[in-house]
Amino acid sequence: MPPAASQRASSTSSPSGKGELAELKTQLRQLAGSRAPGVEDVKRELYKKVISYMTIGIDVSPLFSEMVMCSATSDVVLKKMCYLYVGNYARVHPDLALLTINFLQKDCQDEYPMIRGLALRSLCSLRVQNLVEYLVGPLRSGLKDVHGYVRTVAVLGVLKLYHIAPIACTDNDFPAMLKQLMLHDGDPQVMANCLCALQEILTQEGSNIEEAGLDKDFFTRKPIIYHFLNRIKDFNEWAQCLVLELVAKYVPEDPNETFDIMNLLEDRLQHANSAVVLATIKVFLNLTMSMADVHQQVYERIKAPLMTLVSSGSAEQSYAVLCHLHLLVMRAPILFSSDYKHFYCRYSDPSYIKKLKLEMLTAVANENNTYEIVTELSEYAANVDVAIARESIRAVGKIALQQYDVNAIVDRLLQFLEMEKDYVTAETLVLVKDLLRKYPQWSQDCIAVVGNVSSKHVQESKAKVALLWMLGEYALDMPDAPYVLEGFVESWTDEDSPEVRLELLTAVAKCFFRRAPETQRILGEALAAALADAHQDVHDRGLFYYRLLQHGVESAERVINPPKQAVSVFADMQNSEIKDRIFDEFNTLAVVYQQPSYMFLDKEYRGPFEFSDDASTNASATESSETMLAGQRVDASDNDLLLSASEKEYTKGVVATNGSSSYVAPSSSTMDGMGVLAAPTQTSFPAVGFAIDDLLGLSLHTTPPEPAPAPPPLVLNAKPVLNPAAFQQKWRQLPVASTQEYTLTPQAVANLTGPQALLRHMQAQLIHCIASGGQAPNFKFFFFAQKSDASAGLGYFLVECIVNVTARKCTSNYKTDESNMLESFASIFQSAILKFGS
Amino acid sequence: MAGAASALFLLDMKGRVLIWRDYRGDVSAGQVEKFFSKLIEREGDPSSHDPVVFDDGVTFMFVQYNNVYVLTAARQNCNAASMLLFLHRVIDVFKHYFEELEEESLRDNFVVVYELLDEIMDFGYPQYTEAKILSEFIKTDAYRMEVTQRPPMAVTNAVSWRSEGIRYKKNEVFLDVVESVNILVNSNGQVVRSDVVGALKMRTYLSGMPECKLGLNDRVLLEAQGRATKGKAIDLDDIKFHQCVRLARFENDRTISFIPPDGAFDLMTYRLSTQVKPLIWVEAQVERHSRSRVEYTVKARSQFKERSTATNVEIELPVSSDATTPTVRTSMGSAVYAPEREALLWKIKSFPGGKDYMLRAQFHLPSITAEESTPEKHPPIRVKFEIPYFTVSGIQVRYLKIIEKSGYQALPWVRYITTAGEYELRMI
């Protein structure tokens, strides 16, 4: 407090700092040795004054020695004030802190446990490096104190010591003592604090406490987990959260054990403390990760407690719970689709809650509830505050893009335009534009209404861009398009946003290709204005158009106004890799921020649980962790391979065993190297090549990339043999050779009610499935195929194929030991999967 | 990793630090003040902001109470749900100590505040947050002289919510069954959603370590015991218990058994998501006769049995913010215009079941509207009421047994009441 707060002291009306302090100083001096009756009361008043100065930010450190001198007292409150004072100034005056050691040490041996505890806590909180030697003795006796209160304080004292001087802490065998206490102390709070302290010490980088029998896996071993589970009811609510957090990391040996743990913890879901309930939910989710059907039952089971927590308690608590519910809803919208009414907003909900609810309403929309949800959303668009109205309109749009009941939704959107509120119009225009990009067939209805929107009501640049795009694109359907554009061109100089000017230029050009006679004049004006524009991009585009048109109108049209293809899928904002990471950090801030913790935490606060030991080389990290854990983890990761809802990046050296959070937080170097976060799907070389071609606008149809010397035609083995273990091994050994993404036909999606249908289809194409899993809309398959003339154990192609039914997207990761044939195989695979359902 | 808080702050409405306790030494008060006053400046009202904010490596979580913000700062990836709940517990502790938590009470009692902050959290990990327990070793000024230097047994024994040696001359238990009805009716008059949140609120004045057993007309329990249910039993959707209830016991045989804390607490809460008929139905017709005159015709109907009576009914009818000169007539109760709430408040002291009451009101509006008119908000009609001796769910306390080893007789008092929670009817 002192440095920052003392600055403020000068601004607040300080009680004439110096004089008062001097007076206090003399008064304290006089009292120091006095044993007169009633002296305690006087002291208390003086101390109170000092503390109150300290609280309002006046630097009272000059009184340090006097305060310490007066500290010889038996009055608890006086002592507390003194400890507080000392704790505040010790760090900035380490030399003075030495003065306090004596009396603090003495108090640590007081006959009253309360005083022993308080003194020990203050002693450990001094945070002065060179006083560490005085800490060890009192801590050691504190840990052995007969009274639980002192032991609880001492345990955390050890942790404090570790933060100042890790070596001193380990050299004195404190971790081993904590371990003993944790296992054998009768006081639950002592045990809980030991758990905190040891876990935190373990997460510190380079903590070396193996000789105490504590290694990184110590807490995820069965005896420890059972030790805490059996006592969970003795702990207070906060400590229960800690224990549950620990259990969530445990990987049970077999399903029976999983069920035992879940039965034991079932009643925790009825705890009034929302943190306990959430922690229990995390345990349930993590334990059942490899059992798809049970996992789904868990979702059903936790729904009711979650909904109750949301609707009771304070807004802040419901927010925290809603963030978690949000995550679950996003993972499995289908499971929540009948509970959509719980996500309706109340008038008095704060906007941060409304926002989350809107997102959830969007996510759970399906054929059955779309009408009601959209009706409800429309009420928000008209009713509540502007920010939420905007969000609700966007939500309506998102639902429309999910193609449920589009007809009704388009009507709604058009009604919004009729409300003639600027912000409603603005949002709606943006949405109508997106809708038209996806469903050009709706143009008739939309354009008729959009044509009626007065450009005066459109103020926001995003909305203007949308309107201009439609004017350009649908100039033929809107009789007055050229004249509206003319109005825009005339006010060119008043337009602040370069995006709008860019779009205006393009819109005028497009309009010109469609209705040349009416537009020619304004195109000239627009080009002139663009050439004179101060913004570089606008200027360049103007020049570019001008020269294109000079070169020939037809070729200009080919560039500026090529035939459009409907957009099938809008880019997903967040890739599933990140979503999985967040899910692994359930019940932490990661869920609230919707970001994995490595994205927001400072490096030193992450801890090695989230860090790989050897992040520099991914390959070696994979190997080391694999050799170390191979025995115990193969089974688990086997299950995981098949059932995790979305892909994990195996190339990154992640042995993704559910529950153990040994994920790699990519250091910046690895992130650059892989670009996983930036480019979620196209990581491999051929794919990148396409992307660049596309970027340059060189249509793929005109210049197909020349394949390298044509490889001999690939013939697949009709009956390849590969057992799961061998597949597993190959999958681990081989790098991802290629990643490709296909859009499935609607028929394919319709046929994909379960994994079986696709399996049979692929088998007919000589591509065999070794494992599949997931529930709609996400399926995951592992396929393999073998070259017909390959020798045994060679010539395999392995494919991990993730299908998202709602997005009609299919992402395939190829691995092979026959890389020169990969391309042929990929094309076989592609044609096979695209033929599915036809 | 669980994640510990770095410091706990008590701030005033302007975001200035009143009192703070540094637990880990990695966040400074200056940092918090700078951040928070920026937030207040930007948002105007931080209560509309997410309660979890991130700034420069530090996570701030805050809760507003009266004119005080209670805030934790953390650098670790801590557990948001548990921290926010912890803040509320802190508020409860302060309320217990100072009657009301506000800036003044904190300033007046800063020594006690420091003492409390020292015990509720250690090195960023929550420790004891039961006000009852804390108050046994941290006393306010009035009791200072009797301060014990021994932490109470409860701090270290298994029953952390009750300490031994409590004595009352008269042993009594008050049990209130409170159900609040949340309802949302859309502008077409359809009930969009409805649920009932119930709570069993207890106040215990019992000596010693009493064992309590509560029997409800819980369908699962009655059926398990093979009793005829005769439509009297109820299904509770989701039940949450106070930490004193032995949850394992409940899981096994649905008995609610517990050693209660001393004083007031919520023994259990539950939720029913069954469709509830709106207990009080309000229909409002708004007619604009000209640009400057608007007329409301409102009908309120009680849709519960005649033998029950709703009391303290308050119907809040939203009115345009620039309305003037109201004239109101009601067939029952009184109505006042409350410009500060932009509403007409119709209060009916007693509203028996199966009755209809009417209200007519007329307002004048300025004939000229402001040029820069803000978009109209259209808040819903909101209703408040209490119906004593009545529960929507039909929950009944069949017995409440109190057994203490000294063998005293304790008197249980049970009361039922239904209140309006979030009771909203949207206007057309």
Side-chain angles (χ1 to χ4, degrees):
Chain A
M1 167 177 328
S6 56
Q7 284 171 2
R8 202 189 67 235
S10 53
S11 63
T12 52
S13 58
S14 74
S16 64
K18 284 264 158 67
E20 289 267 347
L21 279 190
E23 198 178 309
L24 276 172
K25 204 170 196 160
T26 41
Q27 282 176 317
L28 280 170
R29 274 222 175 118
Q30 283 162 4
L31 288 176
S34 165
R35 291 200 182 277
V39 70
E40 302 284 277
D41 289 339
V42 187
K43 268 193 197 170
R44 201 181 281 158
E45 283 312 306
L46 284 177
Y47 267 41
K48 232 175 133 175
K49 216 180 243 174
V50 174
I51 299 291
S52 76
Y53 285 169
M54 189 182 88
T55 304
I56 57 172
I58 296 170
D59 183 12
V60 283
S61 60
L63 302 173
F64 206 101
S65 45
E66 284 76 15
M67 289 290 280
V68 175
M69 265 163 20
C70 284
S71 61
T73 171
S74 54
D75 186 310
V76 185
V77 180
L78 259 182
K79 277 191 190 294
K80 280 187 186 172
M81 285 197 271
C82 191
Y83 297 152
L84 182 69
Y85 175 89
V86 168
N88 250 316
Y89 290 109
R91 210 152 36 122
V92 270
H93 300 284
D95 44 331
L96 292 172
L98 191 62
L99 296 172
T100 64
I101 291 290
N102 196 14
F103 88 86
L104 282 176
Q105 272 187 331
K106 213 172 84 213
D107 282 353
C108 285
Q109 287 153 13
D110 200 279
E111 59 177 311
Y112 295 111
M114 194 79 212
I115 299 207
R116 291 202 298 273
L118 284 168
L120 188 58
R121 184 184 293 151
S122 310
L123 193 61
C124 297
S125 307
L126 292 179
R127 290 191 214 114
V128 179
Q129 194 81 42
N130 53 10
L131 299 183
V132 165
E133 49 183 308
Y134 302 103
L135 270 176
V136 175
L139 262 183
R140 196 181 293 276
S141 45
L143 288 174
K144 292 178 190 143
D145 201 285
V146 287
H147 204 286
Y149 178 77
V150 186
R151 293 199 302 275
T152 50
V153 172
V155 170
L156 284 179
V158 170
L159 181 57
K160 291 172 193 168
L161 173 67
Y162 185 85
H163 276 270
I164 324 167
I167 309 232
C169 182
T170 42
D171 282 357
N172 283 291
D173 275 343
F174 282 132
M177 289 174 79
L178 291 196
K179 189 180 150 197
Q180 282 301 312
L181 280 178
M182 183 172 78
L183 298 177
H184 304 297
D185 201 288
D187 187 323
Q189 191 62 34
V190 175
M191 287 162 66
N193 282 2
C194 287
L195 178 60
C196 288
L198 285 178
Q199 277 195 307
E200 201 178 319
I201 291 175
L202 270 175
T203 54
Q204 298 300 313
E205 249 173 297
S207 62
N208 185 23
I209 48 176
E210 259 109 39
E211 60 261 44
L214 295 156
D215 53 65
K216 293 210 159 28
D217 294 324
F218 175 72
F219 280 109
T220 47
R221 292 210 186 104
K222 195 166 170 176
I224 295 293
I225 299 287
Y226 278 40
H227 172 73
F228 281 107
L229 272 180
N230 288 333
R231 288 167 182 76
I232 191 158
K233 295 184 175 91
D234 304 337
F235 291 111
N236 76 11
E237 44 193 354
W238 311 114
Q240 287 190 12
C241 293
L242 283 173
V243 172
L244 290 167
E245 193 67 29
L246 180 69
V247 176
K249 290 183 190 149
Y250 177 62
V251 185
E253 284 164 2
D254 54 50
N256 285 336
E257 201 186 353
T258 304
F259 290 123
D260 285 347
I261 295 178
M262 284 173 39
N263 282 330
L264 184 73
L265 295 178
E266 171 97 20
D267 56 18
R268 295 297 112 188
L269 290 174
Q270 266 146 2
H271 205 284
N273 183 321
S274 55
V276 172
V277 177
L278 279 178
T280 313
I281 288 174
K282 180 174 183 173
V283 174
F284 279 32
L285 290 174
N286 278 0
L287 288 181
T288 57
M289 197 74 95
S290 55
M291 302 186 245
D293 47 336
V294 189
H295 196 64
Q296 192 163 344
Q297 284 172 20
V298 166
Y299 271 82
E300 294 294 340
R301 174 67 186 87
I302 61 183
K303 248 198 277 187
L306 277 172
M307 300 295 182
T308 309
L309 286 177
V310 168
S311 60
S312 52
S314 67
E316 292 84 10
Q317 280 159 265
S318 7
Y319 173 72
V321 177
L322 268 174
C323 287
H324 289 87
L325 191 57
H326 181 263
L327 178 75
L328 297 178
V329 167
M330 293 301 160
R331 270 178 87 84
I334 292 174
L335 295 180
F336 292 89
S337 59
S338 55
D339 303 290
Y340 62 95
K341 284 188 177 174
H342 286 279
F343 307 137
Y344 284 0
C345 299
R346 295 173 185 166
Y347 182 73
S348 50
D349 281 339
S351 51
Y352 52 82
I353 287 188
K354 284 184 179 152
K355 246 180 98 177
L356 280 176
K357 285 188 173 173
L358 286 179
E359 280 177 33
M360 288 192 267
L361 277 177
T362 320
V364 299
N366 66 13
E367 293 87 348
N368 306 323
N369 57 23
T370 292
Y371 182 77
E372 281 174 67
I373 291 181
V374 173
T375 310
E376 179 72 10
L377 287 171
S378 308
E379 298 237 13
Y380 305 149
N383 270 336
V384 278
D385 60 302
V386 176
I388 293 302
R390 285 173 185 277
E391 290 285 344
S392 2
I393 298 169
R394 277 179 219 148
V396 172
K398 275 188 212 150
I399 294 175
L401 292 177
Q402 286 167 11
Q403 68 188 140
Y404 302 116
D405 206 357
V406 184
N407 224 336
I409 294 177
V410 170
D411 286 349
R412 296 281 175 175
L413 286 177
L414 301 180
Q415 278 169 17
F416 289 158
L417 287 180
E418 285 159 13
M419 283 164 57
E420 296 200 336
K421 285 182 184 169
D422 286 357
Y423 59 93
V424 175
T425 310
E427 287 298 333
T428 313
L429 280 176
V430 174
L431 276 176
V432 171
K433 179 200 72 181
D434 283 346
L435 267 182
L436 286 178
R437 285 173 64 203
K438 192 165 176 184
Y439 309 109
Q441 64 268 35
W442 297 105
S443 63
Q444 290 294 326
D445 305 82
C446 295
I447 291 306
V449 184
V450 170
N452 293 332
V453 174
S454 158
S455 55
K456 283 193 204 76
H457 284 134
V458 185
Q459 295 300 329
E460 290 161 42
S461 43
K462 255 169 78 184
K464 278 186 185 169
V465 169
L467 179 63
L468 287 169
W469 183 84
M470 285 185 272
L471 284 169
E473 202 63 33
Y474 296 95
L476 286 177
D477 303 315
M478 287 195 265
D480 56 350
Y483 309 101
V484 179
L485 287 171
E486 186 174 7
F488 275 105
V489 173
E490 275 166 13
S491 53
W492 182 285
T493 44
D494 302 333
E495 184 52 61
D496 295 328
S497 155
E499 287 81 32
V500 176
R501 299 202 298 271
L502 279 173
E503 188 59 48
L504 175 56
L505 187 61
T506 308
V508 171
K510 281 185 196 162
C511 188
F512 171 73
F513 298 125
R514 296 191 165 104
R515 300 167 66 173
E518 295 154 288
T519 325
Q520 190 172 11
R521 189 178 55 82
I522 54 166
L523 178 62
E525 283 171 22
L527 283 173
L531 290 178
D533 202 287
H535 196 272
Q536 187 72 52
D537 288 347
V538 182
H539 173 81
D540 284 0
R541 188 180 287 186
L543 207 59
F544 174 56
Y545 281 8
Y546 180 71
R547 291 192 181 140
L548 268 176
L549 288 164
Q550 249 183 344
H551 183 261
V553 176
E554 265 173 46
S555 53
E557 179 166 9
R558 270 215 310 279
V559 175
I560 301 174
N561 192 26
K564 287 272 177 309
Q565 282 201 331
V567 181
S568 56
V569 182
F570 284 92
D572 194 356
M573 293 303 284
Q574 224 175 22
N575 73 33
S576 52
E577 155 81 18
I578 289 190
K579 283 185 193 154
D580 277 358
R581 282 288 183 86
I582 298 173
F583 187 73
D584 292 330
E585 295 185 291
F586 194 84
N587 209 12
T588 67
L589 288 172
V591 179
V592 178
Y593 294 143
Q594 300 182 15
Q595 278 179 348
S597 62
Y598 67 81
M599 289 172 109
F600 62 85
L601 284 188
D602 290 343
K603 192 167 169 247
E604 65 266 35
Y605 295 101
R606 280 179 219 155
F609 272 121
E610 279 98 334
F611 257 105
S612 145
D613 292 321
D614 190 2
S616 54
T617 52
N618 289 304
S620 73
T622 319
E623 267 163 32
S624 66
S625 54
E626 239 154 54
T627 46
M628 187 173 73
L629 301 163
Q632 75 197 72
R633 287 214 178 149
V634 159
D635 292 341
S637 58
D638 190 10
N639 290 331
D640 183 63
L641 268 177
L642 313 183
L643 290 153
S644 92
S646 53
E647 75 265 53
K648 308 247 186 208
E649 289 284 344
Y650 292 94
T651 47
K652 289 174 58 188
V654 176
V655 179
T657 314
N658 47 63
S660 81
S661 43
S662 56
Y663 296 101
V664 190
S667 65
S668 56
S669 66
T670 54
M671 260 163 68
D672 292 345
M674 297 183 299
V676 209
L677 297 171
T681 50
Q682 301 185 320
T683 44
S684 64
F685 291 110
V688 167
F690 290 130
I692 289 170
D693 283 348
D694 201 27
L695 197 76
L696 295 176
L698 302 173
S699 163
L700 288 175
H701 310 292
T702 51
T703 54
E706 280 301 320
L714 174 67
V715 184
L716 294 177
N717 187 350
K719 288 202 174 77
V721 188
L722 188 65
N723 64 31
F727 181 92
Q728 194 86 57
Q729 199 187 357
K730 275 191 180 301
W731 185 260
R732 268 205 307 271
Q733 281 167 353
L734 297 169
V736 173
S738 166
T739 300
Q740 302 200 359
E741 200 175 305
Y742 315 117
T743 303
L744 297 177
T745 57
Q747 293 92 329
V749 173
N751 280 319
L752 195 61
T753 46
Q756 287 307 320
L758 183 64
L759 298 193
R760 278 192 298 273
H761 169 79
M762 295 304 274
Q763 197 149 15
Q765 316 282 333
L766 305 182
I767 298 169
H768 298 262
C769 180
I770 193 142
S772 64
Q775 312 122 13
N778 288 305
F779 293 99
K780 181 163 179 168
F781 304 89
F782 284 93
F783 292 110
F784 72 97
Q786 192 184 20
K787 215 168 70 167
S788 66
D789 51 350
S791 47
L794 282 173
Y796 284 108
F797 301 97
L798 313 181
V799 191
E800 176 195 36
C801 178
I802 297 145
V803 180
N804 181 308
V805 176
T806 25
R808 289 204 278 133
K809 220 167 59 178
C810 159
T811 312
S812 308
N813 291 313
Y814 295 95
K815 295 188 178 187
T816 182
D817 48 16
E818 193 78 12
S819 47
N820 57 339
M821 299 298 263
L822 178 69
E823 230 166 292
S824 327
F825 175 73
S827 62
I828 292 178
F829 186 83
Q830 178 179 6
S831 65
I833 202 146
L834 293 183
K835 261 189 275 173
F836 176 59
S838 55
Chain B
M1 155 164 150
S6 296
L8 199 142
F9 293 83
L10 296 160
L11 306 170
D12 70 5
M13 289 310 282
K14 293 197 178 111
R16 283 188 306 237
V17 175
L18 293 169
I19 292 183
W20 73 296
R21 180 75 168 87
D22 179 9
Y23 292 111
R24 299 181 73 99
D26 50 12
V27 174
S28 77
Q31 196 177 354
V32 173
E33 282 198 344
K34 214 170 85 195
F35 158 75
F36 207 73
S37 39
K38 215 168 64 194
L39 185 78
I40 292 176
E41 223 170 85
R42 199 173 60 228
E43 297 289 325
D45 176 17
S47 62
S48 63
H49 197 282
D50 308 10
V52 185
V53 205
F54 180 76
D55 184 64
D56 194 22
V58 183
T59 295
F60 301 95
M61 286 183 249
F62 63 91
V63 171
Q64 188 194 349
Y65 192 85
N66 285 342
N67 53 1
V68 176
Y69 290 107
V70 187
L71 175 145
T72 57
R75 281 189 181 272
Q76 298 183 351
N77 186 16
C78 44
N79 179 334
S82 119
M83 278 298 160
L84 287 168
L85 187 63
F86 173 75
L87 291 179
H88 278 279
R89 290 288 160 81
V90 173
I91 291 172
D92 290 342
V93 168
F94 286 143
K95 263 160 62 185
H96 175 89
Y97 266 84
F98 315 131
E99 297 286 308
E100 204 39 88
L101 168 62
E102 50 196 9
E103 197 183 325
E104 293 69 33
S105 62
L106 289 177
R107 282 192 196 284
D108 294 347
N109 297 289
F110 63 92
V111 175
V112 182
V113 174
Y114 277 126
E115 286 180 49
L116 288 171
L117 292 180
D118 207 30
E119 293 296 341
I120 53 177
M121 204 174 226
D122 196 359
F123 210 49
Y125 294 105
Q127 302 284 309
Y128 310 105
T129 48
E130 293 283 324
K132 274 273 164 191
I133 301 302
L134 286 165
S135 61
E136 288 180 32
F137 62 109
I138 300 173
K139 306 270 183 189
T140 43
D141 274 1
Y143 308 103
R144 174 77 61 71
M145 303 317 284
E146 318 157 14
V147 74
T148 50
Q149 299 189 333
R150 187 175 294 281
M153 282 311 289
V155 166
T156 49
N157 74 15
V159 186
S160 70
W161 55 86
R162 186 182 181 94
S163 42
E164 281 168 22
I166 297 169
R167 287 213 47 79
Y168 287 98
K169 269 196 194 132
K170 195 173 173 190
N171 290 295
E172 286 180 304
V173 184
F174 298 88
L175 178 62
D176 289 351
V177 180
V178 184
E179 289 193 346
S180 74
V181 182
N182 298 319
I183 215 157
L184 178 61
V185 178
N186 73 6
S187 45
N188 305 328
Q190 290 166 318
V191 177
V192 184
R193 69 172 284 209
S194 65
D195 61 10
V196 177
V197 179
L200 266 58
K201 293 179 182 291
M202 251 188 154
R203 274 172 300 144
T204 60
Y205 305 100
L206 297 171
S207 314
M209 280 291 189
E211 265 290 334
C212 299
K213 239 169 123 183
L214 178 72
L216 298 172
N217 56 338
D218 174 8
R219 186 189 300 278
V220 183
L221 174 65
L222 293 180
E223 277 170 7
Q225 292 174 342
R227 298 195 197 190
T229 50
K230 280 187 288 182
K232 269 188 171 174
I234 55 151
D235 293 305
L236 300 174
D237 256 12
D238 182 48
I239 311 177
K240 295 253 183 302
F241 289 108
H242 185 269
Q243 57 167 328
C244 67
V245 177
R246 297 188 185 91
L247 295 173
R249 233 9 243 283
F250 182 75
E251 280 294 312
N252 286 340
D253 55 10
R254 306 283 284 191
T255 345
I256 303 172
S257 74
F258 54 97
I259 298 175
D262 193 34
F265 70 104
D266 283 5
L267 177 68
M268 105 180 204
T269 59
Y270 56 90
R271 185 173 56 89
L272 264 82
S273 54
T274 45
Q275 191 82 4
V276 186
K277 199 168 157 197
L279 295 169
I280 292 193
W281 182 259
V282 183
E283 272 171 21
Q285 281 192 327
V286 182
E287 276 178 83
R288 271 173 189 264
H289 284 292
S290 62
R291 284 186 68 109
S292 59
R293 194 164 65 89
V294 65
E295 201 175 278
Y296 282 64
T297 314
V298 183
K299 192 166 82 178
R301 189 169 64 235
S302 53
Q303 311 193 101
F304 43 86
K305 293 225 172 71
E306 278 157 38
R307 57 166 191 256
S308 292
T309 300
T311 56
N312 299 324
V313 180
E314 183 184 292
I315 301 171
E316 183 180 330
L317 300 157
V319 169
S320 166
S321 59
D322 46 8
T324 50
T325 54
T327 46
V328 195
R329 275 186 305 142
T330 59
S331 67
M332 180 59 83
S334 65
V336 283
Y337 177 43
E340 73 282 0
R341 284 161 74 176
E342 294 177 12
L344 187 68
L345 300 181
W346 181 15
K347 291 182 185 169
I348 304 164
K349 270 264 170 283
S350 155
F351 198 148
K355 285 265 195 290
D356 275 2
Y357 294 132
M358 297 286 289
L359 172 145
R360 272 175 209 283
Q362 185 179 303
F363 292 92
H364 288 281
L365 298 170
S367 46
I368 308 158
T369 49
E371 267 180 40
E372 295 265 317
S373 63
T374 47
E376 282 189 58
K377 273 196 172 171
H378 299 296
I381 298 173
R382 287 196 262 189
V383 187
K384 282 184 207 151
F385 57 81
E386 288 174 3
I387 308 176
Y389 318 112
F390 172 80
T391 55
V392 181
S393 65
I395 192 172
Q396 270 176 0
V397 175
R398 289 171 45 238
Y399 57 83
L400 174 59
K401 292 179 192 155
I402 299 138
I403 303 153
E404 216 276 335
K405 55 178 184 287
S406 65
Y408 59 73
Q409 285 291 314
L411 296 170
W413 304 92
V414 182
R415 231 174 15 165
Y416 301 90
I417 193 165
T418 295
T419 64
E422 296 276 344
Y423 200 102
E424 298 179 351
L425 304 104
R426 290 187 186 140
M427 301 233 291
I428 304 144

